[in-house]
Amino acid sequence: MKLLLRRDQKSGMLGKVIFTVSVRAELSDEEKTNIKKYKMGDILLYERSKIVDPGSGLVGLASRLAFKMINLTISVNDLEHGKQVECKDILEMLAVEEQIKEAAQNFRNVLSAATTFGGEEILEIN
């Protein structure tokens, strides 16, 4: 598995800069097969959430919409098909990148383990 990260920026409202990270994994045919075989597509690899009290009425509706915008999840399917993450500043972008890298490494370990079912692994212990 190869993890492809692309940084970019765009102008937001009132001239504010929005930083983006696009992430996608290049998977081998064997990895894609194991993802389907073990139904891993919905596994959550990354989640960023901020707790917001949505309230009620029109204010609650607006709060719930904003809540969806500040919460982010990245699943195995997202990695396979690609996903773009918007960040408010460079520090947040770097933090998101690090967490995605860590989650992708953990997932790589899961994929590696999936290839050993029905076989054996030999480890040399010193």
Side-chain angles (χ1 to χ4, degrees), residues 23 27 31 33 44 50 59 62 89 97 107-108 118 121 124:
V23 59
L27 301 167
E31 290 168 333
T33 298
L44 193 60
K50 297 179 182 176
V59 172
D89 58 39
E97 283 181 5
F107 183 60
R108 176 68 187 108
E121 183 176 4
E124 186 173 321

PDB file of all heavy atoms in Angstrom, residues 23 27 31 33 44 50 59 62 89 97 107-108 118 121 124:
ATOM      1  N   VAL A  23      -6.083  12.804   0.278  1.00  0.00           N
ATOM      2  CA  VAL A  23      -5.452  11.543   0.652  1.00  0.00           C
ATOM      3  C   VAL A  23      -6.083  10.403  -0.156  1.00  0.00           C
ATOM      4  O   VAL A  23      -7.285  10.397  -0.406  1.00  0.00           O
ATOM      5  CB  VAL A  23      -5.591  11.285   2.172  1.00  0.00           C
ATOM      6  CG1 VAL A  23      -7.039  11.230   2.598  1.00  0.00           C
ATOM      7  CG2 VAL A  23      -4.858  10.034   2.587  1.00  0.00           C
ATOM      8  N   LEU A  27      -3.540   0.665  -3.690  1.00  0.00           N
ATOM      9  CA  LEU A  27      -3.600  -0.671  -3.126  1.00  0.00           C
ATOM     10  C   LEU A  27      -3.293  -1.712  -4.190  1.00  0.00           C
ATOM     11  O   LEU A  27      -3.691  -1.562  -5.351  1.00  0.00           O
ATOM     12  CB  LEU A  27      -4.991  -0.937  -2.541  1.00  0.00           C
ATOM     13  CG  LEU A  27      -5.449   0.026  -1.439  1.00  0.00           C
ATOM     14  CD1 LEU A  27      -6.929  -0.129  -1.172  1.00  0.00           C
ATOM     15  CD2 LEU A  27      -4.643  -0.206  -0.180  1.00  0.00           C
ATOM     16  N   GLU A  31      -4.436  -6.630  -1.789  1.00  0.00           N
ATOM     17  CA  GLU A  31      -4.987  -5.806  -0.715  1.00  0.00           C
ATOM     18  C   GLU A  31      -6.456  -5.486  -0.969  1.00  0.00           C
ATOM     19  O   GLU A  31      -7.281  -5.562  -0.056  1.00  0.00           O
ATOM     20  CB  GLU A  31      -4.171  -4.517  -0.573  1.00  0.00           C
ATOM     21  CG  GLU A  31      -2.786  -4.758  -0.009  1.00  0.00           C
ATOM     22  CD  GLU A  31      -1.856  -3.567  -0.117  1.00  0.00           C
ATOM     23  OE1 GLU A  31      -2.038  -2.727  -1.028  1.00  0.00           O
ATOM     24  OE2 GLU A  31      -0.940  -3.466   0.720  1.00  0.00           O
ATOM     25  N   THR A  33      -8.531  -7.288  -2.687  1.00  0.00           N
ATOM     26  CA  THR A  33      -9.261  -8.542  -2.488  1.00  0.00           C
ATOM     27  C   THR A  33      -9.513  -8.795  -1.006  1.00  0.00           C
ATOM     28  O   THR A  33     -10.620  -9.167  -0.610  1.00  0.00           O
ATOM     29  CB  THR A  33      -8.471  -9.728  -3.105  1.00  0.00           C
ATOM     30  OG1 THR A  33      -8.341  -9.502  -4.506  1.00  0.00           O
ATOM     31  CG2 THR A  33      -9.167 -11.050  -2.857  1.00  0.00           C
ATOM     32  N   LEU A  44     -13.276   2.524  10.372  1.00  0.00           N
ATOM     33  CA  LEU A  44     -12.942   3.924  10.598  1.00  0.00           C
ATOM     34  C   LEU A  44     -11.470   4.035  10.967  1.00  0.00           C
ATOM     35  O   LEU A  44     -11.017   3.448  11.939  1.00  0.00           O
ATOM     36  CB  LEU A  44     -13.819   4.481  11.719  1.00  0.00           C
ATOM     37  CG  LEU A  44     -13.847   5.971  11.904  1.00  0.00           C
ATOM     38  CD1 LEU A  44     -14.363   6.667  10.652  1.00  0.00           C
ATOM     39  CD2 LEU A  44     -14.732   6.309  13.086  1.00  0.00           C
ATOM     40  N   LYS A  50     -15.581  17.611  17.185  1.00  0.00           N
ATOM     41  CA  LYS A  50     -15.692  18.640  18.208  1.00  0.00           C
ATOM     42  C   LYS A  50     -17.116  18.575  18.720  1.00  0.00           C
ATOM     43  O   LYS A  50     -18.061  18.489  17.948  1.00  0.00           O
ATOM     44  CB  LYS A  50     -15.392  20.024  17.625  1.00  0.00           C
ATOM     45  CG  LYS A  50     -13.968  20.153  17.118  1.00  0.00           C
ATOM     46  CD  LYS A  50     -13.715  21.512  16.530  1.00  0.00           C
ATOM     47  CE  LYS A  50     -12.305  21.584  15.986  1.00  0.00           C
ATOM     48  NZ  LYS A  50     -12.029  22.838  15.314  1.00  0.00           N
ATOM     49  N   VAL A  59     -31.942  27.550  15.003  1.00  0.00           N
ATOM     50  CA  VAL A  59     -30.564  27.619  15.504  1.00  0.00           C
ATOM     51  C   VAL A  59     -29.990  26.210  15.603  1.00  0.00           C
ATOM     52  O   VAL A  59     -28.848  25.957  15.231  1.00  0.00           O
ATOM     53  CB  VAL A  59     -30.509  28.334  16.870  1.00  0.00           C
ATOM     54  CG1 VAL A  59     -29.119  28.237  17.468  1.00  0.00           C
ATOM     55  CG2 VAL A  59     -30.940  29.776  16.728  1.00  0.00           C
ATOM     56  N   ALA A  62     -29.089  24.916  12.105  1.00  0.00           N
ATOM     57  CA  ALA A  62     -27.825  25.511  11.650  1.00  0.00           C
ATOM     58  C   ALA A  62     -26.650  24.908  12.402  1.00  0.00           C
ATOM     59  O   ALA A  62     -25.603  24.625  11.811  1.00  0.00           O
ATOM     60  CB  ALA A  62     -27.861  27.025  11.838  1.00  0.00           C
ATOM     61  N   ASP A  89      -6.028  25.892   9.386  1.00  0.00           N
ATOM     62  CA  ASP A  89      -4.674  26.456   9.358  1.00  0.00           C
ATOM     63  C   ASP A  89      -3.658  25.351   9.101  1.00  0.00           C
ATOM     64  O   ASP A  89      -4.001  24.170   9.058  1.00  0.00           O
ATOM     65  CB  ASP A  89      -4.363  27.223  10.648  1.00  0.00           C
ATOM     66  CG  ASP A  89      -4.499  26.384  11.906  1.00  0.00           C
ATOM     67  OD1 ASP A  89      -4.108  25.198  11.889  1.00  0.00           O
ATOM     68  OD2 ASP A  89      -4.987  26.914  12.913  1.00  0.00           O
ATOM     69  N   GLU A  97      -2.527  15.249   8.773  1.00  0.00           N
ATOM     70  CA  GLU A  97      -1.622  14.398   7.998  1.00  0.00           C
ATOM     71  C   GLU A  97      -0.978  13.327   8.875  1.00  0.00           C
ATOM     72  O   GLU A  97      -0.916  12.160   8.494  1.00  0.00           O
ATOM     73  CB  GLU A  97      -0.519  15.230   7.345  1.00  0.00           C
ATOM     74  CG  GLU A  97      -0.943  15.982   6.130  1.00  0.00           C
ATOM     75  CD  GLU A  97       0.209  16.772   5.510  1.00  0.00           C
ATOM     76  OE1 GLU A  97       1.366  16.662   5.981  1.00  0.00           O
ATOM     77  OE2 GLU A  97      -0.048  17.500   4.545  1.00  0.00           O
ATOM     78  N   PHE A 107      -3.484   0.318   9.494  1.00  0.00           N
ATOM     79  CA  PHE A 107      -4.282  -0.438   8.532  1.00  0.00           C
ATOM     80  C   PHE A 107      -3.391  -1.341   7.691  1.00  0.00           C
ATOM     81  O   PHE A 107      -3.761  -2.471   7.372  1.00  0.00           O
ATOM     82  CB  PHE A 107      -5.106   0.495   7.643  1.00  0.00           C
ATOM     83  CG  PHE A 107      -5.978  -0.259   6.694  1.00  0.00           C
ATOM     84  CD1 PHE A 107      -6.942  -1.129   7.163  1.00  0.00           C
ATOM     85  CD2 PHE A 107      -5.825  -0.126   5.329  1.00  0.00           C
ATOM     86  CE1 PHE A 107      -7.737  -1.852   6.298  1.00  0.00           C
ATOM     87  CE2 PHE A 107      -6.612  -0.837   4.458  1.00  0.00           C
ATOM     88  CZ  PHE A 107      -7.578  -1.701   4.942  1.00  0.00           C
ATOM     89  N   ARG A 108      -2.212  -0.852   7.339  1.00  0.00           N
ATOM     90  CA  ARG A 108      -1.249  -1.677   6.591  1.00  0.00           C
ATOM     91  C   ARG A 108      -0.904  -2.934   7.378  1.00  0.00           C
ATOM     92  O   ARG A 108      -0.790  -4.018   6.815  1.00  0.00           O
ATOM     93  CB  ARG A 108       0.016  -0.865   6.285  1.00  0.00           C
ATOM     94  CG  ARG A 108       1.099  -1.644   5.612  1.00  0.00           C
ATOM     95  CD  ARG A 108       0.665  -2.015   4.182  1.00  0.00           C
ATOM     96  NE  ARG A 108       1.640  -2.895   3.601  1.00  0.00           N
ATOM     97  CZ  ARG A 108       1.442  -4.202   3.388  1.00  0.00           C
ATOM     98  NH1 ARG A 108       0.302  -4.751   3.697  1.00  0.00           N
ATOM     99  NH2 ARG A 108       2.372  -4.937   2.854  1.00  0.00           N
ATOM    100  N   GLY A 118      -4.406 -18.986   7.120  1.00  0.00           N
ATOM    101  CA  GLY A 118      -4.277 -20.228   6.377  1.00  0.00           C
ATOM    102  C   GLY A 118      -2.823 -20.592   6.110  1.00  0.00           C
ATOM    103  O   GLY A 118      -2.537 -21.560   5.424  1.00  0.00           O
ATOM    104  N   GLU A 121       3.758 -18.068   9.798  1.00  0.00           N
ATOM    105  CA  GLU A 121       4.775 -17.037   9.746  1.00  0.00           C
ATOM    106  C   GLU A 121       5.935 -17.496  10.610  1.00  0.00           C
ATOM    107  O   GLU A 121       5.744 -18.023  11.703  1.00  0.00           O
ATOM    108  CB  GLU A 121       4.194 -15.725  10.281  1.00  0.00           C
ATOM    109  CG  GLU A 121       5.121 -14.557  10.208  1.00  0.00           C
ATOM    110  CD  GLU A 121       4.459 -13.260  10.673  1.00  0.00           C
ATOM    111  OE1 GLU A 121       3.288 -13.296  11.117  1.00  0.00           O
ATOM    112  OE2 GLU A 121       5.131 -12.222  10.611  1.00  0.00           O
ATOM    113  N   GLU A 124      12.244 -14.998  13.639  1.00  0.00           N
ATOM    114  CA  GLU A 124      13.506 -15.312  14.297  1.00  0.00           C
ATOM    115  C   GLU A 124      13.620 -14.435  15.540  1.00  0.00           C
ATOM    116  O   GLU A 124      13.605 -13.214  15.446  1.00  0.00           O
ATOM    117  CB  GLU A 124      14.676 -15.042  13.360  1.00  0.00           C
ATOM    118  CG  GLU A 124      15.987 -15.496  13.944  1.00  0.00           C
ATOM    119  CD  GLU A 124      17.113 -15.370  12.948  1.00  0.00           C
ATOM    120  OE1 GLU A 124      16.890 -15.657  11.753  1.00  0.00           O
ATOM    121  OE2 GLU A 124      18.211 -14.973  13.377  1.00  0.00           O
TER     122      GLU A 124
END
